[in-house]
Every structure is written in structure tokens, then in C-alpha cells.
């Protein structure tokens, strides 16, 4: 899969009825700019309000996943999200003229086929990934629900369902990198147990449900009276029960029900808004558990965002030592504030500053209780950003970086003699016309000391 963000090459449209509302709906998925994410736009409402497809906007998980923002809802989004995200679409704007996506045949088959047929195009920005670094667990013990994620270099899922059903039995499904999602998972249809139908109808749900868009599992013998009732419910006179399924249904796979649960899980996991590198094991997952786990994961990401991404090992040789830094930057002591660079790639850089009592600014900056001036911490981050930006030109010694703007500066703790500052700078967008926008963080150990967003321009020295 591409490391770049992707969007559709052209718009694609779908029409059908909502599973729960029964309302006719037309939905058009359009290409969107990088970093846009997947966003629904209710074109049937005044002003065409938008609802981002993110887990923090999930408000209902009864028989489907519903997102809402500012009182505007879009329901049953899991199938289209599953197809888009798993097939590689990072950015899309989805125009929809009703409050629920079309259920189609109860699977993501048509969505996947049209996405593959239309094709994707790479965008400039890199994809965002969350690398799982330690095991995380979500459980609902009384329901036998468990979702566990382990560290791994790629995303994969192993899923198990067991509903104590003699018809379904134990079923397993897996998704690993390189799997044919469109052929293996997308065609798997949603399912419901016959004994659940009446309660769902009383809850005013499945108005659009019929035997063409759902698998109905029949656990127990059905009387003639019940059969007549089902004929009225579905407005069909040829209803039969064969092999535990309504209307002599032929399964597309012997584990179709587990594969559909996998389809749903992939769609709900897409609501994290970034791709995952981790190995998932799920037992009896559902929309509530899936989306709650994503919210738990997002909270973890927020907390981990306050910790260094890169591990500094003083025993390893630096990428740039002080002499290499001097050749790249025009700064000199006492204003050269970076001692070494230990990590750099196309979009990020990490450096070190050893703070000692010999620093000249300690002579006058709180000499009885020495504290490194905050402006110099920001300057040190700026110098790291300069190294990242100058790394994009073939002759960096002939260029300088000048800062145009610094926003959102926050100081979290004092920096004192004996501290080792670790700076991490990340490009927020591609460099255009020599202008770079970087997010910077400075850490002492595992603690965030300072953060800021900086805009700088490369200029050739005169």
C-alpha cells in the first residue's frame, strides 16, 4: 500500500434505501484534498453541513454506526467507510441527501467494486500512522467481547465470533496485508437473528431491511402462524426456511457472518482518522465495542503525543555531530544551541542539546536559581527545523532559514543545568516555494518542556 495519502480519481455515486430509515438516498463520493480526511456533507440540509467520519463524533451504535456534529447526523456509515479506508482512500467528501447511507445488498461489495474500477491517485502528503508500542485491551466481560491490539509493523486482524448458535457455530475471519478485500471481505452481508426482528421493528429500526439486503438466521422451528406473519412483514409470499436461513439463502462464504463482522470492524477502525500499525485480535466485536476502542486508542495517542517519538542512544554515533552542524548552520557559540542530530527523514528531525552550568546565559538569567530562557529553547528548536529544511537543498552551506512566524508557544516545565533537551520537529505540510511549516516539541526525558508551530523560509545567502 502507498505511503502517500490517496483519494479517488473521479467521483462515484450510489443510490438505494437506508437500512433503518427505509428512505431513498443518493450518495456521491468525491475526491478531496490531502489531509481532508473522510467527511460527510448533508446536501439535503440548508448550508450543506458537514460531519467528519471520526470516532469522537459517534453518537449511536444500535445496529450500525452513526456520527453527529452540531445536531446533524449520518447513520450506518460502517460499510462505505470499510471499503474506502481498507482500499486506500484517505481523503474524500461524501455528498448525501438523507440521514443514512444506502444499504445496497447489505455488504460493501458494490462500494468496493466501484472504488477499484475508478482507481486512486497519490497525493503529496505522507499518510499518518499510529504505531502500537504496547498491548492495549478493551473488554465487555459479561458479553464475552474482547478487542486486543499488539505491537506490529503492519496492520492485521484475527476475528472470532460465537453466538452459542447451532446454525452459525464458531466462525473465524482474518485480514492481513495484501489480502483481496474487494473479493474476500466486501461481499459479506449483514445478518440478523429471526428472534431479533420484532424488537428491532418496535425500536423503529430496519424499515429498509428485506431478504435482499440481510441474512436472517433462524435458530428454532417456526410455526405456520409465524411464517404467515413473516410473509406480511417482508411482503413476500414465497418465504421458506432452509438450513437455518430464511428463503433458502446461499451463503457467499462458509464463514460469511464472521467476515461481515470483520468488514464492520475495519469500517469502525477507520474512524480513528489515521492508519494503524498493530495486530488486532477480536472476539464477538460490535459497533459499540469497536468505536469505544477507537476512542480509547485516540486518548492514548493524545497522551503519547506528549512523549518523544524517537529514542536517543548516546552510545550510537550521531547523524550530524557538532562539526557537521556548524557546516550546515550559520550560527556560532554562544548562539549555536544544538549539539547533535540523531534522526532525520523527509518530514522530521530530532536533535539534542546538553544544558550545562557553563552556558553564558546562566550568568544573568536567575543566577541563584539558573533556568534556561524559554526564547532560547524556541531558538534551539528553530535551529533543528533549519537543519531539516536545509536538508532539502543540495548545497545547504549557501542557504539560511529565516523564521516568518511562531505560533502556539507553550512552556511546560523549567529547563535547568544538567538537563538534556531532545528536540523533535515535524513538517506539517510539504515545503512550497521555500516555505516550511513545522511543529516542534522539546523534551527533558519523557516530559514535554516546550512546544510551538513555526513557519520558516529558505533564502540564499548574499
Amino acid at each position: 500500500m502507498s505511503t502517500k495519502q490517496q483519494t479517488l480519481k473521479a467521483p462515484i455515486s450510489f443510490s438505494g434505501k437506508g437500512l433503518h430509515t427505509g428512505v431513498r438516498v443518493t450518495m456521491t463520493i468525491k475526491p478531496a484534498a490531502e489531509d481532508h480526511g473522510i467527511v460527510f456533507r448533508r446536501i439535503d440540509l440548508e448550508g450543506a453541513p458537514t460531519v467528519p467520519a471520526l470516532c469522537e463524533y459517534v453518537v449511536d451504535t444500535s445496529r450500525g454506526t452513526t456520527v453527529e456534529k452540531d445536531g446533524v447526523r449520518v447513520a450506518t456509515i460502517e460499510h462505505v467507510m470499510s471499503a474506502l479506508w481498507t482500499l486506500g482512500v484517505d481523503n474524500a467528501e461524501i455528498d448525501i441527501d438523507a440521514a443514512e447511507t444506502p444499504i445496497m445488498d447489505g455488504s460493501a461489495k458494490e462500494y468496493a467494486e466501484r472504488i477499484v474500477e475508478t482507481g486512486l491517485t497519490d497525493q503529496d502528503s505522507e499518510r499518518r500512522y499510529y504505531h502500537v508500542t504496547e498491548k492495549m485491551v478493551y473488554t465487555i466481560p459479561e458479553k464475552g467481547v474482547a478487542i486486543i491490539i499488539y505491537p506490529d509493523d503492519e496492520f492485521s486482524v484475527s476475528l472470532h465470533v460465537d453466538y452459542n448458535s447451532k446454525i452459525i457455530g464458531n466462525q473465524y475471519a482474518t485480514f492481513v496485508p495484501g489480502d483481496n478485500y474487494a473479493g474476500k471481505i466486501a461481499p459479506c452481508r449483514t445478518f440478523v437473528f429471526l428472534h431479533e426482528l420484532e424488537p428491532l421493528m418496535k425500536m423503529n429500526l430496519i424499515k429498509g431491511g428485506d431478504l435482499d439486503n440481510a441474512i436472517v438466521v433462524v435458530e428454532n422451528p417456526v410455526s405456520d402462524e409465524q411464517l404467515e406473519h413473516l410473509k406480511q412483514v417482508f411482503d413476500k409470499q414465497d418465504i421458506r426456511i432452509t438450513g437455518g436461513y430464511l428463503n433458502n439463502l446461499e451463503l457467499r462464504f462458509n464463514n460469511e457472518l464472521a467476515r461481515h463482522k470483520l468488514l464492520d470492524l475495519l469500517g469502525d477502525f477507520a474512524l480513528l482518522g489515521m492508519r494503524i500499525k498493530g495486530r488486532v485480535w477480536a472476539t464477538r466485536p460490535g459497533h459499540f465495542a469497536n468505536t469505544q476502542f477507537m476512542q480509547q486508542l485516540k486518548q492514548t495517542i493524545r497522551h503519547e503525543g506528549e512523549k518523544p517519538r524517537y529514542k536517543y542512544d548516546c552510545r550510537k554515533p550521531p547523524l550530524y555531530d557538532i562539526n557537521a552542524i556548524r557546516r550546515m548552520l550559520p550560527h556560532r557559540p554562544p548562539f549555536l544551541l544544538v549539539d547533535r542530530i540523531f534522526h532525520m527523514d523527509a518530514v522530521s528531525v530530532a536533535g539534542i542539546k546538553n544544558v550545562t552550568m557553563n552556558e553564558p546565559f546562566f550568568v544573568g538569567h536567575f543566577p541563584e536559581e539558573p533556568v534556561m530562557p524559554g526564547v532560547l529553547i524556541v531558538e534551539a528548536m528553530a535551529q533543528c527545523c533549519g537543519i531539516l529544511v536545509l536538508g532539502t537543498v543540495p548545497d545547504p552551506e549557501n542557504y539560511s532559514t529565516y523564521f516568518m512566524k511562531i505560533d502556539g508557544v507553550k512552556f511546560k516545565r523549567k529547563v535547568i543545568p544538567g538537563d538534556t533537551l531532545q528536540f523533535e520537529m515535524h513538517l506539517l505540510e510539504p515545503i512550497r516555494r521555500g516555505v516550511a511549516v513545522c511543529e516542534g516539541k522539546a523534551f527533558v526525558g519523557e516530559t514535554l518542556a516546550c512546544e510551538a508551530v513555526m513557519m520558516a523560509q529558505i533564502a540564499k545567502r548574499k
Side-chain angles (χ1 to χ4, degrees):
M1 185 174 280
S2 174
T3 60
K4 295 288 188 180
Q5 293 181 26
Q6 293 182 311
T7 191
L8 290 165
K9 285 184 177 178
I12 49 178
S13 293
F14 304 89
S15 293
K17 59 184 176 182
L19 173 62
H20 296 299
T21 60
V23 173
R24 296 295 301 180
V25 55
T26 297
M27 183 173 74
T28 301
I29 307 171
K30 303 184 299 184
E34 57 198 28
D35 298 318
H36 180 273
I38 298 176
V39 177
F40 289 90
R41 198 165 72 106
R42 286 286 304 276
I43 60 173
D44 58 317
L45 301 178
E46 184 178 354
T50 58
V51 185
L54 294 170
C55 59
E56 54 263 45
Y57 295 105
V58 173
V59 293
D60 189 10
T61 53
S62 53
R63 309 304 296 199
T65 299
T66 300
V67 287
E68 177 183 315
K69 183 183 179 187
D70 299 329
V72 177
R73 288 192 172 201
V74 183
T76 324
I77 67 170
E78 61 273 7
H79 296 176
V80 68
M81 288 300 300
S82 180
L84 287 169
W85 199 250
T86 312
L87 291 171
V89 178
D90 301 280
N91 302 300
E93 186 166 76
I94 305 176
D95 286 354
I96 186 167
D97 63 1
E100 187 179 20
T101 67
I103 190 60
M104 314 309 284
D105 71 345
S107 75
K109 182 175 183 287
E110 189 172 342
Y111 293 140
E113 288 174 348
R114 295 287 303 282
I115 292 166
V116 171
E117 177 187 315
T118 302
L120 308 183
T121 184
D122 281 355
Q123 299 176 286
D124 290 335
S125 292
E126 297 288 325
R127 279 187 168 140
R128 294 175 61 223
Y129 288 91
Y130 173 62
H131 295 253
V132 178
T133 57
E134 59 184 26
K135 173 183 171 183
M136 284 179 275
V137 178
Y138 177 88
T139 62
I140 308 176
E142 65 274 17
K143 295 184 178 180
V145 174
I147 303 177
I148 307 170
I149 192 165
Y150 302 90
D152 205 347
D153 293 331
E154 296 182 295
F155 178 69
S156 63
V157 182
S158 297
L159 182 145
H160 168 231
V161 294
D162 175 12
Y163 299 104
N164 299 316
S165 164
K166 60 181 181 292
I167 303 299
I168 298 173
N170 281 295
Q171 291 191 13
Y172 297 86
T174 60
F175 176 76
V176 297
D179 266 353
N180 178 10
Y181 170 86
K184 173 182 172 181
I185 299 168
C188 298
R189 294 159 292 180
T190 192
F191 64 93
V192 63
F193 288 92
L194 181 61
H195 63 79
E196 295 177 309
L197 286 178
E198 289 287 353
L200 287 170
M201 291 171 181
K202 288 177 180 176
M203 292 167 63
N204 214 25
L205 297 173
I206 63 167
K207 291 179 180 177
D210 59 41
L211 299 182
D212 297 321
N213 58 31
I215 297 169
V216 180
V217 183
V218 183
E219 281 288 312
N220 303 308
V222 175
S223 66
D224 291 341
E225 184 182 347
Q226 288 175 299
L227 203 57
E228 285 301 316
H229 177 62
L230 289 172
K231 289 177 182 179
Q232 294 176 16
V233 167
F234 291 108
D235 194 23
K236 284 181 179 287
Q237 293 304 308
D238 60 344
I239 285 181
R240 290 166 292 136
I241 298 168
T242 308
Y245 297 100
L246 213 55
N247 251 32
N248 198 23
L249 183 86
E250 185 176 336
L251 294 178
R252 292 173 178 172
F253 304 93
N254 60 6
N255 64 339
E256 183 171 356
L257 279 60
R259 293 192 194 200
H260 183 80
K261 282 295 183 181
L262 176 57
L263 184 158
D264 282 347
L265 182 143
L266 293 170
D268 289 336
F269 273 35
L271 302 182
L272 184 67
M274 66 176 69
R275 297 184 182 274
I276 299 170
K277 291 193 176 183
R279 178 166 44 91
V280 178
W281 172 257
T283 301
R284 296 188 70 171
H287 298 301
F288 178 78
N290 298 341
T291 55
Q292 285 291 305
F293 187 52
M294 286 303 97
Q295 291 179 27
Q296 176 181 311
L297 199 56
K298 183 155 276 192
Q299 193 66 28
T300 299
I301 292 168
R302 288 195 188 102
H303 290 319
E304 288 188 356
E306 303 288 306
K307 296 179 182 179
R309 295 188 189 183
Y310 308 108
K311 297 294 183 184
Y312 172 59
D313 187 345
C314 63
R315 298 167 297 180
K316 293 182 179 179
L319 197 61
Y320 297 126
D321 63 12
I322 190 63
N323 293 316
I325 292 170
R326 281 166 56 92
R327 286 192 293 271
M328 185 170 278
L329 293 179
H331 306 78
R332 292 296 178 266
F335 279 96
L336 182 57
L337 297 169
V338 183
D339 293 333
R340 55 176 54 190
I341 298 295
F342 68 91
H343 164 85
M344 191 161 78
D345 57 33
V347 295
S348 62
V349 65
I352 291 295
K353 162 68 178 171
N354 293 305
V355 182
T356 75
M357 190 60 203
N358 295 326
E359 308 288 352
F361 44 77
F362 285 138
V363 174
H365 200 260
F366 304 174
E368 301 305 316
E369 188 186 355
V371 175
M372 184 173 180
V375 291
L376 294 185
I377 300 174
V378 175
E379 171 63 23
M381 289 195 294
Q383 291 178 18
C384 281
C385 187
I387 292 170
L388 174 61
V389 173
L390 291 170
T392 64
V393 296
D395 52 344
E397 66 279 0
N398 294 322
Y399 288 82
S400 294
T401 51
Y402 296 95
F403 279 82
M404 306 164 66
K405 186 167 68 170
I406 301 177
D407 287 328
V409 180
K410 296 177 184 176
F411 299 101
K412 304 286 190 176
R413 61 151 284 176
K414 294 188 295 184
V415 177
I416 60 176
D419 285 343
T420 297
L421 273 169
Q422 176 170 322
F423 308 109
E424 294 187 358
M425 308 298 296
H426 303 272
L427 282 176
L428 294 179
E429 56 189 59
I431 298 172
R432 295 186 177 90
R433 297 187 178 88
V435 176
V437 179
C438 282
E439 177 187 55
K441 294 182 186 290
F443 300 90
V444 176
E446 294 284 302
T447 304
L448 182 67
C450 178
E451 61 183 345
V453 175
M454 306 174 177
M455 179 183 289
Q457 185 168 34
I458 308 171
K460 198 157 189 175
R461 298 180 193 171
K462 296 181 180 179

